Amino acid sequence: MKLVLAVVNNDDSAILSSALTKEGFSTTKLATTGGFLRAGNTTFLIGVEDDKVDAVIDIISKYSRQRTQTMPDPSVYGMGMYTNYPVEIKIGGATVFVVDVEKFVKL
C-alpha cells in the first residue's frame, strides 16, 4: 500500500476532489499554506494499493493546472526605497509524494 500526498492550488481542489471520488478513491483534504507565496493550498492524503498509484497521479495531473501570476519581485523585499517591478511566476500544478505504508487500519 502507498500513501499519495498531493499539494495542489486551492483553485483546483474542488474539481480534483470530485474526480478522485468519482473514480473510487477516498481522500482526506488538509488546508495548507505555501512558504514562497504564502498562498493557500490543499494537501490531499490518498491511501491506495500499489497498482493504483499511477491512476491517482494521472487524475491529479489532469485536474491540477499551472497558471501564471504577477507579483512584486521577491529579490527586493525589505530593500528600502528600491522600486519593485512585477515578475510573472508559474503557480498551480501539483507536488506529489508517494510513500510506502507499513500498516493501514481503518477503525
Side-chain angles (χ1 to χ4, degrees), residues 52-68:
K52 302 283 185 182
V53 171
D54 289 336
V56 168
I57 291 173
D58 288 344
I59 294 168
I60 294 168
S61 176
K62 182 176 180 180
Y63 292 100
S64 301
R65 63 181 187 84
Q66 282 193 341
R67 53 186 78 62
T68 58

Side-chain angles (χ1 to χ4, degrees), residues 64-92:
S64 301
R65 63 181 187 84
Q66 282 193 341
R67 53 186 78 62
T68 58
Q69 177 177 325
T70 303
M71 67 173 284
D73 185 352
S75 66
V76 294
Y77 281 155
M79 299 297 278
M81 297 174 49
Y82 294 105
T83 304
N84 288 14
Y85 292 102
V87 294
E88 278 193 0
I89 59 167
K90 289 187 187 248
I91 62 168

Side-chain angles (χ1 to χ4, degrees), residues 28 62 105:
T28 298
K62 182 176 180 180
V105 178

